[in-house]
Amino acid sequence: TDSYIHRGSFISESLVEQEITRATANFRNCGYYDFSKNDFAFVADTISFPGKVIFNYNVKTVPARFTFGDVTVTRPADMKFRESVIRDMITITPGSLYNDEDVNRTYSRLASLRIFNSVTVRTQAADSLKVNCDISMTRSRLKGVRVNLEGSATTTGLFGISPQMTFYNKNLFHGGEWFT
């Protein structure tokens, strides 16, 4: 298994915390949207076998499984951008089991385009075991000029300035391209 706790392992508070984090992530990636590390109960028996620990952890209550419901995408209306590119970046599918990794992957993919000033992916439980998702993006400056000056001096006392000017266009063909 992927568990951090194995037969013969030394049990420590940090190891138990790592295991809780791992198990919680697994539950949340299998549709259990409202699952948290507080849903675990632990029992560590250090008396029955001297020098050994019998360690059990259980889920207190079995939570309900959620699916993705409505996915709403909001972006600047006046920004020309191919819809297919944004659609391909979103890994959240209405009707599929809730999965934290899909939410994080969608955020990472949209943010990696670097054409939006900010990207926000919000999830909220709705009626009938569904999680609605709101994705919003705000406008970034798409064109501009950057000027850098670099100064240097040698041991012989010579001083020099090296100017650099860069033009950039982040969305030339309306697909998130980045040209400099």
Side-chain angles (χ1 to χ4, degrees):
T1 68
D2 294 338
S3 178
Y4 289 104
I5 300 173
H6 302 284
R7 181 182 300 268
S9 309
F10 289 100
I11 301 296
S12 68
E13 188 176 334
S14 66
L15 187 67
V16 171
E17 184 65 32
Q18 286 177 321
E19 178 59 20
I20 293 169
T21 302
R22 182 204 65 81
T24 300
N26 280 350
F27 274 98
R28 289 185 58 86
N29 288 329
C30 292
Y32 299 101
Y33 171 73
D34 55 356
F35 193 84
S36 75
K37 58 185 179 178
N38 296 329
D39 291 322
F40 288 108
F42 298 93
V43 175
D45 178 1
T46 58
I47 297 175
S48 296
F49 298 98
K52 299 193 184 284
V53 175
I54 299 172
F55 185 78
N56 291 309
Y57 70 98
N58 301 307
V59 176
K60 292 179 186 175
T61 58
V62 178
R65 290 176 95 178
F66 284 74
T67 58
F68 284 113
D70 296 333
V71 177
T72 306
V73 178
T74 308
R75 65 177 182 83
D78 60 341
M79 185 177 173
K80 293 181 181 176
F81 201 83
R82 289 195 313 265
E83 291 296 324
S84 63
V85 174
I86 291 179
R87 223 179 0 261
D88 290 345
M89 295 286 165
I90 297 173
T91 59
I92 298 167
T93 307
S96 65
L97 275 178
Y98 175 82
N99 186 325
D100 263 354
E101 286 180 356
D102 285 341
V103 173
N104 295 333
R105 191 176 306 117
T106 294
Y107 171 81
S108 295
R109 290 171 123 193
L110 289 169
S112 72
L113 285 174
R114 301 185 314 172
I115 62 165
F116 301 109
N117 192 38
S118 69
V119 174
T120 306
V121 180
R122 287 190 192 100
T123 57
Q124 184 175 10
D127 294 337
S128 64
L129 300 177
K130 295 213 181 288
V131 175
N132 291 335
C133 186
D134 294 319
I135 302 168
S136 61
M137 297 157 276
T138 59
R139 173 184 285 289
S140 174
R141 188 171 176 184
L142 298 179
K143 295 178 189 174
V145 176
R146 243 183 271 141
V147 178
N148 293 330
L149 289 176
E150 187 176 306
S152 62
T154 65
T155 55
T156 59
L158 294 174
F159 181 73
I161 296 177
S162 172
Q164 181 183 29
M165 188 165 86
T166 306
F167 170 77
Y168 65 89
N169 187 327
K170 295 183 185 178
N171 195 30
L172 185 62
F173 301 113
H174 311 300
E177 303 83 12
W178 182 285
F179 290 104
T180 57

